[in-house]
Amino acid sequence: MRSFLAKYATALAGLGVVIWFAATAPAFASAANFTLILKETSFLAILALGFALALVTAELDLSIAEVASLAAVVCGFLVHSGYPPALAIAAGLGVGAACGLANGFAVTVLNVPSLIATLGMAAIAKGLGFMLTQGVAFVGRWPADFTGLARGNFLGVPNLLWWLILASIFAYALVKWTRTGAHLVATGEAEEASRLAGIPTKRMKRLALLLTGLFAGATAVLLAASLSSAAPNMANDHFLYAIAAVLLGMTMFEPGRPNVPGTLVAAFTLKALGNGLILSGAPYYVQDIVLGAIIVGSVALSAGALGRAAFVKRLSFRTAQ
Amino acid sequence: MSVLVRLGAVTKSYGAVEALRGVDLEIRAGDVLALCGDNGAGKSSLVKILSGAHAHDGGVFEIEGKAVRFASPQDALTRGIATIYQELAVAPRLSVAENVFLGSELVRTPLPFVSLLDKKRMRDEALGYLKRLGVDLGDATRPVERLSGGQRQAVAIARALRWDARVVIMDEPTAALGVAETKLVLDLIRRLKDEGRTVVLVSHNMADVVAVATRVAILKAGRKTVDRPVAGLDAAALAQMIVTGREAA
C-alpha cells in the first residue's frame, strides 16, 4: 500500500482534481470539453516529453518554448509563401533538431552548463523568430494538407492525439527497451560511473538534447497547423506547463525519474486543472500561481521520496564531465 | 608466470606536477598485486593510466608484448582491463542487473533490425555472476543503493566478470567497510584469483594486503621503490616500507 501510494499518490490527486471539476464546474464534464483538453494536452505533452528526455540525462533544456516558436515561424513562413507542406514540416522539425544539436554542442564540447547554454539558446531563438517575422504573425488560409495534420480525426480520435501517442511510444520504447535508452538513463543516474563503464556519456547527452529539440520542432509544426498561423512567442505559454508536467510526472510511476507515463498523466492533469479553473470562473492569473506551486511542490515531493541530495543535484547548476 | 601488462619508464604530468617520474611495473598473470604508497605517491595516476581514464605521457605501456595507448575506459575494457573505483563503482539507483551489465547490455532481436534489451537474461545472468563470487542476492531488480558496501563491491566485480576482464583493478575496495564486509571483499578477491584472473589491489590497509596479495609494489614520489613478494611480510613491516620508501633492512 505504501509503495502504491509512493507511486500513484499524485496521479490520484490529479484524478481527484478532474472529478472535483466534473462535479462543480459547469460544462467541464462534456465530451466537447474533454476533447479540447486532450488536444491542448497533446501540444503540451509532446513538448514536455522532449524536456523529459533531456532531463533523463540530467540536463535541463530551458529553450524548448523559444525553439518551438522559432520552428513554428520558419514552418509557417514556408507554408505561407506557398512552399509544399512537406518541405515546411521538414523545416520545422529541422530547426528544432538544429537548435537541439547546438545545445548539445554547447553542453558537451564547450562545457557550458545546460542551464546557461539553453537559456542562451532561448534568447537566440527568440531573436531569430522576431527577425524572420519582423514582429508580426503569419496568418492565412493555409492548405488543408498542412492544417490537416492537427485538425480532423482518424478512427474517431483527433489527429493531434495520434501524434502524441506516436511520440509517447517512441520516447517510452527508446528509454525502456533499447540499449541507447539504458545508456541515456545511466548517464543521468551516474555520469562518471557510466563513463568508466564505457558508456559514451557526452554522446548520450548530445542525443538527448537533439531529441528535445526535435520534439520542440514537432510541437511547433502541430501548433502552426492547428492555428493556421505562426508567431514568435506562440509557444511561450507552454513553457512552464511543460516543465511542470515533467516535474509533476516525476512524482509518479517511477518516483524521482523523468518518465513517459508520469509526464502524460501530469500533462493531462495540468491542462484539466487550467481548464477547470477557467470554467469555474477563476481569474486567469490563478493558473500561474497554481502552476508555480505545483512546480516547487513536485520537486519537494520527489526529493523527499528519495531522501537524498541526488535528485536535487540532478537539477542544480552543473557542467558536463 | 607470463607478463600480462608491462609498464616501462612511464611518466605522467598534470601541468607542473610530475605525478609519475618513470615507473617500471610488470603485472604477471595470476598475481594479486598490491599497489601501495602514501597519498600523492602516484597510485591514482598509475591506476588511471591502466584503466584508460588518462593517457600516459612518456614510456611504454604493453599488454602481452604489444604497445597500447588507451584513449578511453572503453579501450581498457576491450583489452581485458576492468577498474573498480571505490566511489564510482556503481550507479546507486540502478538495479543490480543494470549495474552488472552497465555499458554492455544484452539485447535480443525479435525482428530483423529491431534490437531490444533482454532484461530477463540480464537478471538471470547477473545473479549467475554473483553466485560465482559466492554472493546470493536473490533479486536482481533491487536498486544497488539498498545493498551493503560489500555487496556493492560484489556487483562491481560481477561487472568485471561480465567483461571477462583478465586484469581487475580495485581502488581501495575495503575503505569505509566494516569488518564483516571487508572479509566479504577479500573473499571476492580470492575468488577472482581462483578463477585465474589477475588482480591489482590499491590499498592503504596493510592487513588486507598481507591477507590476499601475492606481491606488493610501493610507490613513492612518482617512482616505484619496492617490488617484492608479500610472503614473509607483516603489516608493520609493510607500513614501515611505505613510510621510508625502502625495503626494510
Side-chain angles (χ1 to χ4, degrees):
Chain A
M1 187 61 197
R2 242 187 92 197
S3 71
F4 178 83
L5 277 183
K7 277 185 176 169
Y8 303 110
T10 48
L12 290 174
L15 187 65
V17 165
V18 172
I19 293 171
W20 164 257
F21 282 128
T24 62
F28 180 83
S30 68
N33 191 49
F34 257 83
T35 309
L36 181 71
I37 294 175
L38 281 174
K39 284 182 175 174
E40 283 285 307
T41 300
S42 301
F43 300 121
L44 167 64
I46 295 175
L47 193 64
L49 285 173
F51 185 82
L53 285 172
L55 196 56
V56 162
T57 64
E59 297 298 344
L60 292 168
D61 187 345
L62 302 184
S63 68
I64 45 172
E66 304 290 2
V67 165
S69 293
L70 175 63
V73 162
V74 170
C75 176
F77 169 74
L78 291 173
V79 177
H80 201 68
S81 312
Y83 287 96
L87 179 73
I89 294 165
L93 297 176
V95 167
C99 292
L101 207 61
N103 281 333
F105 178 80
V107 171
T108 63
V109 181
L110 305 180
N111 292 321
V112 180
S114 58
L115 187 73
I116 301 299
T118 59
L119 209 54
M121 173 56 75
I124 292 168
K126 183 179 174 186
L128 288 175
F130 278 94
M131 185 182 89
L132 285 172
T133 60
Q134 293 299 310
V136 298
F138 300 116
V139 191
R141 290 182 64 83
W142 290 353
D145 286 4
F146 180 69
T147 56
L149 278 177
R151 297 175 185 180
N153 302 299
F154 177 66
L155 301 177
V157 174
N159 286 353
L160 273 175
L161 209 53
W162 282 114
W163 293 118
L164 173 60
I165 291 168
L166 272 180
S168 304
I169 292 174
F170 171 79
Y172 186 85
L174 172 70
V175 172
K176 303 300 273 187
W177 295 341
T178 70
R179 266 193 87 176
T180 304
H183 291 180
L184 290 171
V185 173
T187 297
E189 285 292 336
E191 182 171 352
E192 193 58 12
S194 301
R195 194 181 69 82
L196 292 169
I199 292 174
T201 51
K202 289 194 171 189
R203 200 188 306 160
M204 289 300 122
K205 288 182 181 249
R206 283 196 290 274
L207 173 65
L209 286 164
L210 170 70
L211 290 172
T212 307
L214 190 64
F215 275 53
T219 309
V221 171
L222 293 175
L223 268 176
S226 167
L227 301 173
S228 264
S229 69
N233 77 19
M234 74 187 290
N236 287 16
D237 288 347
H238 292 290
F239 179 61
L240 279 184
Y241 265 102
I243 289 176
V246 175
L247 296 177
L248 180 58
M250 286 175 73
T251 64
M252 51 183 97
F253 294 95
E254 291 179 70
R257 235 186 239 180
N259 66 82
V260 173
T263 302
L264 295 177
V265 169
F268 177 79
T269 303
L270 291 172
K271 277 296 169 191
L273 180 65
N275 176 287
L277 283 172
I278 291 170
L279 291 180
S280 304
Y284 68 97
Y285 47 77
V286 172
Q287 278 195 61
D288 282 336
I289 296 172
V290 171
L291 207 54
I294 287 175
I295 288 176
V296 176
S298 301
V299 174
L301 259 182
S302 300
L306 295 171
R308 257 181 315 99
F311 175 76
V312 179
K313 205 171 114 198
R314 165 191 284 261
L315 291 176
S316 68
F317 187 90
R318 52 181 281 195
T319 47
Q321 293 291 312
Chain B
M1 286 188 288
S2 67
V3 175
L4 270 181
V5 178
R6 193 173 78 83
L7 299 178
V10 160
T11 59
K12 177 73 192 176
S13 299
Y14 299 93
V17 181
E18 281 184 87
L20 299 176
R21 302 164 184 246
V23 171
D24 302 302
L25 184 70
E26 287 184 349
I27 303 174
R28 295 185 208 103
D31 263 350
V32 176
L33 170 68
L35 206 53
C36 298
D38 263 332
N39 291 331
K43 301 185 305 272
S44 303
S45 306
L46 198 57
V47 166
K48 282 185 175 132
I49 287 167
L50 290 170
S51 66
H54 292 160
H56 56 290
D57 292 337
V60 290
F61 177 6
E62 294 175 354
I63 295 180
E64 291 185 315
K66 284 197 204 87
V68 293
R69 190 177 188 83
F70 294 154
S72 72
Q74 181 78 40
D75 286 353
L77 285 168
T78 51
R79 300 304 294 269
I81 300 181
T83 306
I84 299 167
Y85 290 95
Q86 183 200 345
E87 294 293 334
L88 303 164
V90 291
R93 285 173 56 197
L94 297 184
S95 72
V96 170
E98 285 168 324
N99 266 286
V100 170
F101 287 93
L102 189 69
S104 63
E105 296 80 3
L106 297 175
V107 291
R108 59 197 169 84
T109 45
L111 296 166
F113 306 112
V114 176
S115 78
L116 302 178
L117 291 172
D118 196 341
K119 294 183 184 177
K120 181 175 181 330
R121 221 177 105 210
M122 286 195 277
R123 286 196 298 269
D124 293 346
E125 290 192 14
L127 292 179
Y129 286 122
L130 286 160
K131 269 212 182 88
R132 259 164 69 184
L133 293 167
V135 175
D136 191 359
L137 286 183
D139 177 10
T141 63
R142 253 196 297 176
V144 164
E145 66 188 353
R146 298 218 196 114
L147 303 180
S148 73
Q151 287 171 328
R152 286 182 208 198
Q153 286 289 331
V155 169
I157 295 170
R159 188 192 305 150
L161 291 184
R162 149 69 184 147
W163 278 100
D164 200 18
R166 286 176 299 170
V167 181
V168 180
I169 303 174
M170 302 176 76
D171 189 13
E172 297 283 356
T174 61
L177 292 188
V179 175
E181 295 292 319
T182 297
K183 184 180 171 304
L184 170 64
V185 170
L186 296 182
D187 283 343
L188 293 172
I189 294 172
R190 291 190 189 101
R191 294 253 183 175
L192 283 174
K193 183 178 189 305
D194 293 344
E195 281 211 354
R197 289 170 213 279
T198 305
V199 178
V200 176
L201 171 68
V202 179
S203 184
H204 274 118
N205 187 318
M206 296 309 121
D208 291 354
V209 171
V210 172
V212 293
T214 56
R215 208 156 63 86
V216 58
I218 293 175
L219 296 180
K220 193 165 176 74
R223 287 197 177 84
K224 188 184 74 178
T225 54
V226 175
D227 188 343
R228 56 158 292 166
V230 171
L233 287 176
D234 60 19
L238 261 176
Q240 179 68 20
M241 281 186 214
I242 289 168
V243 174
T244 61
R246 285 193 304 271
E247 286 204 46

